[in-house]
Amino acid sequence: MADLDKDGTIFVGKSTKPEVLTIALANRHGLVTGATGTGKTVTLQVLAEGLSRAGISVFAADIKGDLSGISQKGEAKEAFVNRAKSVGFAYEPDQFPVVFWDLFGEQGHPVRATISEVGPLLLSRLMDLNEVQEGVLNICFRVADEQGLLVLDLKDLRAMLGYIADHAAELTSRYGNVSKTTIGTIQRQLLVLENQGGNQFFGEPALTLKDFIRTTEDGRGYINILAADKLMSSPRLYATFLLWLLSELFEQLPEVGDQPKPKLCFFFDEAHLLFTDAPKALLDKIEQVVRLTRSKGVGVYFVTQSPLDVPDKVLAQLGNRVQHALRAFTPRDQKAVRAAAETFRANPKLDTAKVIMELGKGEALVSFLEGNGTPEMVERCMVRPPSGRLGPISDEERKVLITKSPVKGKYDQAIDRESAYEVLQKRTQSGTPDRPIGAPPAPSAGAPSPAPPAPEAPPGFWTRIGNLIATALERIFGTGRPRGSRLSPGQLAARQITRSVADRVAADIGKSLGGKAGSSIGRTIIRGTMGGILRR
């Protein structure tokens, strides 16, 4: 099989010719669509195996548990051997390096993010907040920054909401209406989120993205599999997590442009959950992330039933297409078939819409990007069999892989450090006053302390200091002269030296006092000194 993945391509199947995904164009994103049971998961596994062989890391959500079999060597079943022979190669079982992840920490390493990292936009989406409630949540984050409070988990967010409820009158005059009724609604939504398992996702240690991008000693890319069978019972949490992950990749990874191969390919199964009922602001963010992650070396592949599940602006960014069979039993189904056919570059030899309804299991219409970045004409393709095992692995096999994982022990134990909840509790118990509402943000932990304020002085004090400096310098350098007489050449040179020394002395005094006040005092001393010199 390895001999077919050559010349910078991944062999996916065969039409009238081998159908390949060009590795250098894998960051141009893609779409895998088709009805339930038509082979989307098999296609996803074939792509993931090829990317891993090429040294590219993969992240994929495993909705049914079937993808986990990629970690075990496949079996040379008669159907696989015959399919491989029909598309032109001899079947060879193989297995691939896998790291298992799970938001609930049951079937893989726990995945966590802090409340602050997720931010108010995604949290509002997750809790299904309206615009007014989202506005109050934004105020909550702003006040946390001003107060220097870390918001890491749900109890921190709940404590901050209680804080802004207590200061609602002050906040209303500064940021707009903050009603306790709105805060109460957000608190109730937090309870729903907690019941869905949000308290296990929000916290520390937060996921480090570099742990998704790694290779084995022999150069194969790790396949990161998120156990999502239980997570799918909380579809908003699932969609929010994957969008957060995609956003983090976009924000943290450096610009690399078009490379010989991407760093990571991201497969978003059940992609319709991301877009259903999403507000415009969120859709705009998704479009921006998808459009710009290409230059970060990340390819994004949406896996869903119909192209209609993906907004047109996002669909336009997806260059590599695999379309499995669709069934047209209803008017909406027929519309989906037409939409799917229209997304391909037409092939005069194929009636694309008709073929979509005729495809058998393991068949697909494919159109990958060619070397110049344009989509090839759509072709009817027989997808090759995967080399890894098809179907889920056993609990024992999963446990063995988790114990051998390269990130074993890094995320398994939750950390609860001092943050907003603990700080606000201490303030209440000790009677420590809060920072004034609207005060500049407090310095973060470990930041240098601000310079102390400059000492107050009577009017004219620093000017008199300047005059004293001038008198001292006159005695040292001899710049004095009788009124009305001219300075000698030696006195002119001495005055120039005196000015330079005066500037340096005054500047050092101002710098030692620090801040704007120190700069102002330094300028006052210079004026006093120079005035004293020039009067002499």
Side-chain angles (χ1 to χ4, degrees), residues 9-24:
T9 62
I10 296 171
F11 176 70
V12 177
K14 187 176 180 181
S15 58
T16 56
K17 66 183 192 307
E19 297 296 336
V20 297
L21 171 66
T22 302
I23 291 172

Side-chain angles (χ1 to χ4, degrees), residues 423-433:
V423 171
L424 291 174
Q425 270 202 332
K426 284 182 180 179
R427 285 187 190 177
T428 302
Q429 292 168 1
S430 64
T432 304

Side-chain angles (χ1 to χ4, degrees), residues 35 111 140 274 328 462:
V111 181
C140 183
L274 181 60
W462 296 109

Side-chain angles (χ1 to χ4, degrees), residues 463 466-475 477-481 487 491-492 494-503 525-536:
T463 301
N467 280 320
L468 290 173
I469 293 173
T471 301
L473 292 174
E474 175 195 339
R475 291 176 178 173
F477 295 107
T479 61
R481 61 182 174 86
L487 293 175
Q491 286 175 319
L492 285 171
R495 175 171 286 190
Q496 191 63 38
I497 295 171
T498 302
R499 285 177 172 175
S500 177
V501 173
D503 287 348
I525 294 173
I526 291 172
R527 287 195 298 269
T529 306
M530 298 311 297
I533 293 171
L534 294 173
R535 284 193 298 271
R536 287 168 168 78

